[in-house]
Amino acid sequence: FDFVPLSRALGKDLSEILPQHPEAQFWRRLLGEIQVALHHCPVNVRRRREGRQEINSLWFWGGGFLPPQGAGPSIDAVYSDDPVSSGLAIINDCPLKPLRRAKKVDFSGDGRSVLIDWTPSSGDARAELNALEGFLAALLPVLHRGERQLTLIDGSGTVREYGRARRFCFWRRRRPLAQCLPAPSTPPK
């Protein structure tokens, strides 16, 4: 069964639009539970107090199955707190570990391929860069010994690989990453 796209469902009675298939009963029940949860959600309680319109539902759209896992590099573990990366690890049967555990793991010589998803957890860019720099500094001895290769993929999708041959190119900066940011501006008085 398929759900009707939202554009075709707007303004219509839900009983006419929701799928009637026996297996759709689970989704209909789930939709009701979501509506109850949203009613009691702190965001909606605040919106009610402020006289604003509440978020009262969501719309399931589409149908089908997840595509088969494509051929790609096998990853032995994912270290992440990001919900998207975590979900992808789970649906690909990849062990998922909290990001904080990656800081305590000795990655030397075990031959494992791991993904460390460093998604900023705060709005403080300096604190994030300092934490990232400390973490990468701990990986440097492993890179210098040539036991591992480090692949960095930034938010734009740019890939940089660092192994034994490029170990000196990686950490040539004369100042910490956080000092590369522009100075924070102070509001005028």
Side-chain angles (χ1 to χ4, degrees), residues 55-162:
I55 302 163
N56 59 10
S57 190
L58 63 89
W59 189 254
F60 301 119
W61 179 20
F65 301 91
L66 288 172
Q69 182 178 347
S74 174
I75 297 176
D76 297 308
V78 172
Y79 292 86
S80 179
D81 295 331
D82 179 68
V84 174
S85 296
S86 300
L88 290 171
I90 290 167
I91 66 171
N92 286 291
D93 295 324
C94 185
L96 174 64
K97 300 175 183 182
L99 182 61
R100 69 181 181 282
R101 289 196 40 209
K103 299 173 189 174
K104 300 173 185 169
V105 174
D106 178 13
F107 291 106
S108 60
D110 61 5
R112 294 181 305 148
S113 175
V114 297
L115 171 71
I116 302 168
D117 181 358
W118 193 282
T119 304
S121 58
S122 72
D124 184 357
R126 291 184 193 286
E128 288 294 332
L129 286 174
N130 284 331
L132 178 61
E133 187 157 32
F135 177 71
L136 292 174
L139 289 177
L140 279 181
V142 177
L143 293 173
H144 283 272
R145 292 190 302 264
E147 297 171 357
R148 303 288 291 201
Q149 177 171 318
L150 176 65
T151 303
L152 296 177
I153 306 170
D154 69 19
S156 70
T158 303
V159 177
R160 293 179 181 87
E161 293 185 346
Y162 302 94

Side-chain angles (χ1 to χ4, degrees), residues 9 11-20 28 31 35 57 59:
K12 300 203 172 128
D13 187 344
L14 282 181
S15 63
E16 297 171 10
I17 300 299
L18 288 173
Q20 301 299 320
R28 294 170 72 100
L31 182 61
Q35 289 172 331
S57 190
W59 189 254

